[in-house]
Amino acid sequence: MEKFNDIYLRAAERKGGEGKLAMLLSKPLSNKQVAQLPDSAWLSEFTKKIFQSGFYWSVIEKKWPGFVEVFWRFDVEALLMMSPEQQEKAASDERIVRNYKKVQTVQANAYMIHDVASQHGSFSQFVADWPSEDIIGLWQYLKKHGARLGGNTGPYALRVLGKDTFLLSRDCESYLRSHKIIDGGLQTKKSLVAIQSFFNELQQQSGLSYQELSQIVSFSCGDNVVGIG
């Protein structure tokens, strides 16, 4: 396993120096800030990432104000009461991308958020309290209890809303495979445990957030097509 300093220096060289690399890095929110987010923000972002999956992201962004209207500003409690007839109507509404199966995930994920909030005070508090040294555990929770939140969908939503997480971008995966940290499927339990251990070691060596670390790893190799690592 490479030392953090070696990865960092290579990333800095590839990006034109330490100063320019620093400008490319972003930090997560604090746990306190994450805990203060409204639970509607999670339902909104989960929905956006689900609809963006396999589709042009720019189209979803352009239509997003329509999604907000159709899904009642992602009010979790209100969406728990959304009837099958209302879901069918939403799935045919031209203000959104019409996909009935994805529309159904809105209420399913509202239920997950509601159930978690009933036990932890809020879904945001639940996410804030989850330790990033076991972020794959949170990924797996979302996959198991949510709807269509497996793969990169759940992790990307977490990143957007400020939870400290590494991401398995194309460049990050390339690094992990070329350095023999993983050799099988990216989302297998064996691979995820190995990846978490790798980032935990880098975090102990550097003191940086997992977000910054996966960006640095991504910048140290590959084409950096997706610069959020």
Side-chain angles (χ1 to χ4, degrees), residues 64-83:
W64 196 246
F67 279 83
V68 175
E69 293 174 0
V70 170
F71 295 115
W72 308 336
R73 306 191 69 81
F74 295 98
D75 184 314
V76 173
E77 298 301 320
L79 287 166
L80 296 178
M81 308 302 294
M82 196 176 208
S83 68

Side-chain angles (χ1 to χ4, degrees), residues 1 3 196-206:
M1 174 179 164
K3 297 295 184 182
Q196 181 76 71
S197 296
F198 166 71
F199 277 105
N200 285 353
E201 179 62 30
L202 292 186
Q203 201 284 324
Q204 291 174 13
Q205 291 178 26
S206 68

